[in-house]
Amino acid sequence: TVFCLFVFIYFSQIKVKNFKRFVQYQKDYVNYISLEDKVFLSEEYIKLISRLKNYNLSCVQVFSYDAVLTYLLKKNSCTKFNYIYILSSENLQNIFITDLENKKPQYILTKNTYKNLSGFSPDLRFKVVKDFIKENYNVREEILDWKIYEIK
């Protein structure tokens, strides 16, 4: 009977511990998802986002692999191409250019260097779009490794 009592107490404690962990997990989870974005960002992104918030952006057009910028700025993409990695064919690049011509975003954000899976920057992969941007936009500002192009 002592053994049974010991086993009962042991398993009761486990249940109480698990319940306490569960309650603490819920509190930690709520606290975690309530943190500001900057807690999770590098200094580079914090500086970029801070600077971009000074622009009067109605939407954000990003010509980089950083699709998260629209979320961080709390703005929609100016075109339906919020993730440019899919622009692999020249046909898709031309569709993207048509969308840019129709929507005429005031600014386009690009990044100069990349350390991603493909190893190729959008300038190298999507030459048709790059040429369009160079013809129709001027560099307004450079922030760290980023360029902000403004429509001509």
Side-chain angles (χ1 to χ4, degrees):
T1 59
V2 173
F3 179 74
C4 289
L5 182 63
F6 176 74
V7 169
F8 175 75
I9 291 172
Y10 176 77
F11 284 112
S12 295
Q13 288 178 349
I14 288 177
K15 288 179 183 177
V16 169
K17 275 185 184 179
N18 286 341
F19 179 74
K20 286 180 182 177
R21 285 184 186 154
F22 177 73
V23 169
Q24 186 60 43
Y25 171 78
Q26 286 182 319
K27 289 178 185 176
D28 290 345
Y29 180 75
V30 168
N31 289 337
Y32 184 77
I33 63 172
S34 300
L35 292 172
E36 291 184 35
D37 293 335
K38 67 181 180 181
V39 171
F40 304 99
L41 299 174
S42 68
E43 288 298 318
E44 175 185 355
Y45 273 102
I46 292 171
K47 185 174 181 178
L48 175 68
I49 298 301
S50 174
R51 184 69 188 111
L52 288 172
K53 285 186 177 182
N54 292 330
Y55 283 78
N56 188 19
L57 300 171
S58 57
C59 59
V60 177
Q61 187 57 57
V62 179
F63 185 61
S64 79
Y65 301 125
D66 298 297
V68 72
L69 289 174
T70 54
Y71 167 78
L72 294 172
L73 289 166
K74 310 295 189 248
K75 302 288 183 182
N76 291 326
S77 177
C78 298
T79 67
K80 62 184 170 188
F81 295 93
N82 62 333
Y83 187 60
I84 65 162
Y85 205 82
I86 63 163
L87 298 175
S88 54
S89 72
E90 190 170 321
N91 184 47
L92 282 172
Q93 290 181 59
N94 287 323
I95 293 170
F96 179 49
I97 289 170
T98 301
D99 212 4
L100 288 172
E101 289 171 333
N102 292 334
K103 303 288 173 70
K104 295 184 183 355
Q106 184 71 30
Y107 304 102
I108 297 178
L109 185 64
T110 67
K111 190 169 185 179
N112 294 330
T113 59
Y114 285 90
K115 298 171 188 141
N116 66 350
L117 298 176
S118 74
F120 298 106
S121 74
D123 286 352
L124 294 173
R125 287 189 70 210
F126 315 120
K127 185 160 177 26
V128 176
V129 177
K130 179 195 119 183
D131 291 343
F132 173 83
I133 291 171
K134 300 269 184 194
E135 289 174 19
N136 296 283
Y137 288 79
N138 291 320
V139 175
R140 175 177 173 158
E141 181 177 0
E142 292 190 40
I143 304 169
L144 300 171
D145 202 24
W146 297 87
K147 286 184 184 174
I148 300 171
Y149 284 88
E150 184 173 28
I151 196 165
K152 289 182 180 178

